[in-house]
Structures are given as C-alpha cells and as structure tokens.
Coordinates of all heavy atoms in Angstrom, one line a residue:
A29 N -4.4 159.5 31.9 CA -4.5 160.4 30.8 C -3.1 160.6 30.2 O -3.0 160.6 28.9 CB -5.0 161.8 31.3
C30 N -2.0 160.6 31.0 CA -0.7 160.8 30.4 C -0.2 159.6 29.7 O 0.7 159.7 28.8 CB 0.3 161.2 31.6 SG 0.0 162.9 32.2
L31 N -0.7 158.4 30.1 CA -0.2 157.2 29.5 C -0.8 156.9 28.1 O -0.5 155.9 27.5 CB -0.5 156.0 30.4 CG 0.4 155.8 31.6 CD1 0.0 154.7 32.5 CD2 1.9 155.6 31.2
K32 N -1.7 157.8 27.7 CA -2.2 157.7 26.3 C -1.1 158.0 25.3 O -1.2 157.7 24.1 CB -3.3 158.7 26.1 CG -4.6 158.3 26.9 CD -5.7 159.3 26.7 CE -7.0 158.9 27.5 NZ -8.0 159.8 27.3
M33 N 0.0 158.7 25.8 CA 1.1 159.0 24.9 C 2.3 158.0 25.2 O 2.1 157.0 25.9 CB 1.6 160.4 25.1 CG 1.9 160.8 26.5 SD 2.1 162.5 26.8 CE 0.4 163.0 26.8
D34 N 3.4 158.3 24.7 CA 4.6 157.4 25.0 C 4.8 157.3 26.5 O 4.6 158.2 27.3 CB 5.9 158.1 24.4 CG 7.1 157.4 24.7 OD1 7.4 156.3 24.1 OD2 7.9 157.8 25.6
L35 N 5.2 156.0 26.9 CA 5.2 155.7 28.3 C 6.2 156.6 29.1 O 5.9 157.1 30.1 CB 5.6 154.3 28.5 CG 5.6 153.8 30.0 CD1 4.2 153.9 30.6 CD2 6.1 152.3 30.1
A36 N 7.4 156.8 28.5 CA 8.4 157.6 29.2 C 8.0 159.0 29.3 O 8.1 159.7 30.3 CB 9.8 157.5 28.4
L37 N 7.5 159.6 28.2 CA 7.0 161.0 28.2 C 5.8 161.1 29.1 O 5.7 162.1 29.8 CB 6.7 161.4 26.8 CG 6.1 162.9 26.6 CD1 7.1 163.9 27.1 CD2 5.7 163.1 25.2
G38 N 4.9 160.2 29.0 CA 3.7 160.3 29.9 C 4.0 160.2 31.3 O 3.5 161.0 32.2
S39 N 5.0 159.4 31.7 CA 5.4 159.3 33.1 C 6.0 160.6 33.6 O 5.8 161.1 34.7 CB 6.4 158.1 33.3 OG 5.8 156.9 32.9
L40 N 6.9 161.2 32.7 CA 7.5 162.5 33.0 C 6.4 163.6 33.2 O 6.5 164.3 34.2 CB 8.5 162.9 31.9 CG 9.2 164.2 32.1 CD1 10.0 164.2 33.4 CD2 10.0 164.5 30.9
L41 N 5.5 163.6 32.3 CA 4.4 164.7 32.4 C 3.6 164.4 33.7 O 3.2 165.4 34.4 CB 3.6 164.6 31.2 CG 4.2 165.1 29.9 CD1 3.3 165.0 28.7 CD2 4.7 166.6 30.0
A42 N 3.2 163.2 34.0 CA 2.5 162.9 35.2 C 3.2 163.4 36.4 O 2.7 164.0 37.3 CB 2.1 161.4 35.3
S43 N 4.5 163.1 36.5 CA 5.3 163.5 37.6 C 5.4 165.0 37.8 O 5.3 165.5 38.9 CB 6.7 162.9 37.5 OG 6.7 161.5 37.5
L44 N 5.5 165.7 36.6 CA 5.6 167.1 36.6 C 4.3 167.7 37.2 O 4.3 168.6 38.0 CB 5.9 167.7 35.2 CG 7.3 167.5 34.7 CD1 7.4 167.9 33.3 CD2 8.3 168.2 35.6
F45 N 3.2 167.2 36.7 CA 1.9 167.7 37.1 C 1.7 167.5 38.6 O 1.2 168.3 39.3 CB 0.7 167.0 36.3 CG -0.6 167.5 36.7 CD1 -1.2 168.6 36.2 CD2 -1.3 166.8 37.7 CE1 -2.5 169.0 36.5 CE2 -2.6 167.3 38.1 CZ -3.2 168.4 37.5
L46 N 2.1 166.3 39.1 CA 1.8 165.9 40.5 C 2.8 166.6 41.5 O 2.4 166.9 42.6 CB 1.9 164.4 40.7 CG 0.8 163.6 39.9 CD1 1.1 162.1 39.9 CD2 -0.6 163.9 40.5
F47 N 4.0 166.9 41.1 CA 5.0 167.3 42.0 C 5.7 168.6 41.8 O 6.4 169.1 42.7 CB 6.1 166.1 42.2 CG 5.5 164.8 42.7 CD1 5.5 163.7 41.8 CD2 4.9 164.7 43.9 CE1 5.0 162.5 42.3 CE2 4.3 163.6 44.3 CZ 4.4 162.4 43.5
L48 N 5.7 169.1 40.5 CA 6.4 170.3 40.3 C 6.0 171.5 41.1 O 6.8 172.2 41.7 CB 6.3 170.7 38.8 CG 7.1 171.9 38.3 CD1 8.6 171.8 38.6 CD2 6.8 172.3 36.9
V49 N 4.7 171.7 41.2 CA 4.1 172.9 41.9 C 4.5 172.8 43.4 O 5.1 173.7 44.0 CB 2.6 173.0 41.7 CG1 2.0 174.0 42.7 CG2 2.3 173.4 40.3
P50 N 4.2 171.7 44.1 CA 4.6 171.7 45.5 C 6.1 171.8 45.8 O 6.5 172.4 46.7 CB 4.0 170.4 46.1 CG 3.8 169.5 44.9 CD 3.5 170.5 43.7
L51 N 6.9 171.1 44.9 CA 8.3 171.2 45.1 C 8.8 172.6 44.9 O 9.7 173.1 45.6 CB 9.0 170.2 44.2 CG 8.9 168.8 44.5 CD1 9.6 167.9 43.4 CD2 9.5 168.5 45.9
A52 N 8.3 173.3 43.9 CA 8.6 174.7 43.6 C 8.3 175.6 44.8 O 9.0 176.5 45.2 CB 8.0 175.2 42.3
L53 N 7.1 175.4 45.4 CA 6.6 176.2 46.5 C 7.5 176.0 47.7 O 7.9 176.9 48.4 CB 5.2 175.8 46.8 CG 4.1 176.3 45.8 CD1 2.8 175.7 46.2 CD2 4.1 177.8 45.8
L54 N 7.9 174.7 48.0 CA 8.7 174.4 49.1 C 10.1 174.9 48.9 O 10.8 175.3 49.9 CB 8.7 172.9 49.4 CG 7.4 172.3 49.9 CD1 7.5 170.8 50.0 CD2 7.0 172.9 51.2
A55 N 10.6 174.9 47.6 CA 11.9 175.4 47.4 C 12.1 176.9 47.7 O 13.1 177.5 47.9 CB 12.3 175.2 45.9

C-alpha cells in the first residue's frame, strides 16, 4: 500500500506504521 507513492516516502511510512508504536511503548 505504501509503495503506491514515492519509494523513499513509502518506505518511511511503512516503517513508521510497523515500528513507531512498539518503539514508543518500549521507550
């Protein structure tokens, strides 16, 4: 879904969706 946009932006958004919440919780 994120790769429908620019590759760099899509990769960043995918990483944020997948890891921001658990990293924030662990922090």
Side-chain angles (χ1 to χ4, degrees):
C30 291
L31 284 174
K32 292 179 180 178
M33 57 192 75
D34 176 77
L35 183 64
L37 178 60
S39 299
L40 177 62
L41 290 177
S43 299
L44 288 174
F45 180 88
L46 295 170
F47 299 116
L48 178 61
V49 171
L51 288 176
L53 290 173
L54 292 175

